[in-house]
Every structure is written in C-alpha cells, then in structure tokens.
Amino acid sequence: LGTTLFYDPLVTRSAFEFARLPQQHALRQRLAKVVPASADARYLWARRSLFFRRGGHLLVTEVFLPEVLELQHTPRKFEI
C-alpha cells in the first residue's frame, strides 16, 4: 500500500486534518480494544488525509500513541 501511495505519480493527497481525540471518541474506543495501554492517555493526536487515484478515494487515518511524544529528534548525517 505504501509503495502505491507514495511512489505512484498518479496518486495525489489532500492536506492533513488534525484532531485531539478524547477518551470517549469512537476511534479511541476501538484502539483501546487492541492496544489497552492507550486507554490511559487523556488525549491522543490523530491525523487524516485523502488519497486520490483515477477517480478512486482512500481515507487514511493515523492515531499516534502517547509514546510518540516521548521520542527525541536525533539529527542524522547525510552523505552525498
């Protein structure tokens, strides 16, 4: 799926929409069933966007687990 979405020149993407999901949100309820540790967080961040290709549409929604806020940016060296 990722190869098609990101490397197919016929695929375009909408702008991101962002949301802060409270514990009672339907996506949070579904996520808590498969990732029980996510239920403790007061809010989870989410984003979504639409992908378009030849008249077809695909909505992709991502919910970020609390641990994503603990990640630290590590600068990378790129050699050319």
Side-chain angles (χ1 to χ4, degrees):
L1 179 63
T3 300
T4 299
L5 294 178
F6 297 110
Y7 296 106
D8 184 338
L10 298 177
V11 174
T12 59
R13 183 181 205 169
S14 71
F16 284 112
E17 295 179 351
F18 297 90
R20 195 172 70 161
L21 306 179
Q23 291 173 329
Q24 66 272 19
H25 192 280
L27 280 175
R28 291 285 307 272
Q29 299 297 314
R30 292 176 66 186
L31 180 63
K33 291 178 182 177
V34 293
V35 184
S38 70
D40 295 336
R42 186 171 177 190
Y43 294 99
L44 292 180
W45 286 99
R47 70 180 184 184
R48 69 181 181 186
S49 62
L50 276 168
F51 289 87
F52 307 94
R53 184 178 189 274
R54 294 189 176 175
H57 302 81
L58 175 67
L59 176 64
V60 174
T61 302
E62 302 165 279
V63 178
F64 299 97
L65 297 176
E67 290 80 6
V68 77
L69 299 174
E70 298 171 14
L71 296 175
Q72 294 182 3
H73 175 69
T74 304
R76 297 182 190 178
K77 279 187 167 179
F78 292 98
E79 295 185 24
I80 299 175

